Amino acid sequence: MNTRQLFQQYVAQTSPEPIGLEIASASGNYLYDVTGKKYLDMIGGISVCNIGHTHPEVVQAIKAQLEKYMHVMVYGELVQSPQVQYAKLLVENLPSQLQSVYFTNSGAEAIEGAIKLSRRYTGRPGIISCNNSYHGSTTGALSIIGDEYWRNAFRPLMPGVRHYDYNSEELINAVDEDTACVIIETVQAEAGVIVAGDIWMQQLRDKCTATATLLIYDDVQGGFGRTGKLWGFDTVVPDVLILGKALGGGMPLGAFVANNAIMNTLTHKPVLGHITTFGGHPVSCAAGMAAFNILLKGKLIKSVSSKEKLFHSYLQHPAIKAVRSKGLLIAIELATAEYAKAVIMRCLDKGLFTDWFLFAPYCIRIAPPLTISEAEIRSACEIILAAL
């Protein structure tokens, strides 16, 4: 049996028709399959590889940490320098209200921790999230994602969750003294790149403050320069911030961040109120910190806006109904999901790797590494237009 057949037989499948591209290596903005064919990566591991694949500084950081130690003890019990130093660096680059980092294995696990934290801190049961939101596939995260197609098969789910439209006045009005938290994405990615209005965000912040409800931002896809700024939010600061994907520089890592008073409620009644074996793994933290430093010291984030405009200028075609974007998180809206899938497969044939969105399958996802060049943007758009 070849590797593709072994993949189908022994690796749990999540769809009846996986892309099944067999990757031999990845470097910079490109993937290479086992035949040697090169693909320009327009997905970046779903907003993970913001600084490109196998960046030499990240690889070196991983090797250096491997030579010291890997797993030594469950999270939080021993002082591990990679965790400490990365947490310090993150906090130094976040608003002052966000002071304490709890590392997890993934963004979904960070969502789970934040749900527990909000209910523990407020003593309330209620959770509000948005229609067409995506927060992960674990049971708690699944309970708050905003699409019944994915939720229904796994009911009963976590009680006390209400869903409202993103950007809606109805959501703000629903926040009350029984609400533990409101969880929203800084950009609704899987809905096809929907951006929240600044006034709405401020009104939501004010209502949460007035009712002592925790406001939680899911910045898993929007963070680490993706939107043209370091974080996917501006002046309206959450009580809890969820990070993941690019946080680990290509290694598995998530986190939820809050102030010390909120976070410390996990230390008592009960002790070990939240615990993880591999969360904040020292190798993942070393890789993530190296990648974060590359973003901080370089010009990648500053280049995002001009690259975003290039995509808009090139993507002109009668079949394109809309191009929505927030930085280098871009949705190309077409007429149908079937048409989008056909275009995606034609792009793959032509050496361009792209994808669709969970709640907007009629849209093509564009989320390349931030290192993509202007020439590569032009080439990618030419392939998309030819495929259309």
Side-chain angles (χ1 to χ4, degrees):
M1 297 176 72
N2 60 34
T3 305
R4 183 183 179 88
Q5 292 168 323
L6 292 170
F7 163 76
Q8 292 173 329
Q9 179 164 337
Y10 294 111
V11 178
Q13 301 293 297
T14 58
S15 76
E17 296 180 340
I19 295 173
L21 192 65
E22 189 174 345
I23 299 301
S25 64
S27 179
N29 302 325
Y30 292 90
L31 308 174
Y32 301 85
D33 70 15
V34 291
T35 71
K37 184 176 178 179
K38 180 171 72 170
Y39 301 85
L40 180 56
D41 186 5
M42 287 289 105
I43 302 175
I46 311 291
S47 301
V48 168
C49 307
N50 286 12
I51 60 166
H53 295 277
T54 56
H55 193 290
E57 292 181 36
V58 175
V59 172
Q60 181 54 44
I62 291 170
K63 289 180 177 179
Q65 183 57 42
L66 286 173
E67 293 175 352
K68 295 175 182 176
Y69 58 87
M70 291 185 281
H71 177 72
V72 289
M73 181 57 171
V74 294
Y75 173 82
E77 289 301 300
L78 299 182
V79 179
Q80 300 180 53
S81 180
Q83 292 175 350
V84 174
Q85 295 304 315
Y86 195 16
K88 176 176 180 290
L89 184 63
L90 288 166
V91 168
E92 288 172 346
N93 287 278
L94 283 166
S96 60
Q97 301 96 310
L98 299 170
Q99 308 157 340
S100 179
V101 180
Y102 192 112
F103 285 116
T104 63
N105 296 285
S106 67
E109 290 184 32
I111 286 285
E112 298 286 343
I115 290 171
K116 287 176 61 179
L117 180 64
S118 69
R119 285 180 160 175
R120 172 68 178 85
Y121 181 73
T122 64
R124 302 171 179 178
I127 295 173
I128 290 175
S129 61
C130 291
N131 294 319
N132 292 329
S133 64
Y134 183 78
H135 302 285
S137 290
T138 49
T139 301
L142 182 64
S143 302
I144 64 172
I145 70 169
D147 193 287
E148 187 59 21
Y149 172 78
W150 272 271
R151 295 193 303 256
N152 188 52
F154 303 99
R155 291 191 177 280
L157 295 170
M158 184 175 66
V161 181
R162 293 175 288 165
H163 294 87
Y164 300 93
D165 288 345
Y166 199 62
N167 274 323
S168 73
E169 185 177 351
E170 186 183 16
L171 186 150
I172 295 173
N173 292 338
V175 180
D176 57 27
E177 284 73 16
D178 290 325
T179 310
C181 65
V182 176
I183 303 179
I184 63 167
E185 296 165 279
T186 52
V187 180
Q188 277 204 311
E190 298 304 327
V193 188
I194 307 300
V195 180
D198 292 339
I199 294 174
W200 182 77
M201 292 284 275
Q202 185 59 61
Q203 290 173 338
L204 178 58
R205 170 71 276 178
D206 292 343
K207 184 65 178 292
C208 287
T209 301
T211 57
T213 299
L214 295 188
L215 178 58
I216 301 176
Y217 285 173
D218 180 335
D219 207 23
V220 171
Q221 290 201 52
F224 296 92
R226 174 62 49 189
T227 62
K229 296 182 179 179
L230 189 56
W231 311 114
F233 61 95
D234 294 317
T235 57
V236 182
V237 180
D239 298 297
V240 183
L241 180 65
I242 308 297
L243 301 174
K245 296 199 181 292
L247 175 69
M251 295 289 285
L253 193 63
F256 55 102
V257 190
N259 69 32
N260 289 317
I262 295 173
M263 195 70 84
N264 284 345
T265 58
L266 295 176
T267 66
H268 58 282
K269 297 180 183 179
V271 66
L272 304 178
H274 196 65
I275 195 67
T276 170
T277 297
F278 293 112
H281 192 281
V283 179
S284 294
C285 285
M289 185 169 176
F292 192 48
N293 273 318
I294 291 164
L295 283 176
L296 292 177
K297 71 183 182 183
K299 299 179 180 178
L300 281 179
I301 297 176
K302 292 181 180 179
S303 73
V304 167
S305 178
S306 61
K307 292 174 181 178
E308 176 187 13
K309 291 175 183 176
L310 274 180
F311 275 106
H312 280 272
S313 67
Y314 289 134
L315 291 172
Q316 304 290 327
H317 191 281
I320 296 176
K321 297 172 69 67
V323 177
R324 291 186 297 276
S325 65
K326 181 73 171 179
L328 286 178
L329 182 58
I330 302 170
I332 305 171
E333 183 178 341
L334 304 179
T336 66
E338 292 74 20
Y339 185 34
K341 181 179 179 181
V343 172
I344 288 167
M345 296 311 295
R346 184 66 61 85
C347 286
L348 193 64
D349 290 340
K350 295 177 177 291
L352 189 75
F353 184 48
T354 185
D355 203 0
W356 46 281
F357 295 90
L358 283 180
F359 309 136
Y362 49 86
C363 293
I364 297 172
R365 182 193 302 268
I366 302 293
L370 309 186
T371 49
I372 190 170
S373 69
E374 293 185 5
E376 288 166 338
I377 291 172
R378 182 171 61 252
S379 175
C381 291
E382 288 173 352
I383 291 173
I384 292 169
L385 295 176
L388 287 168

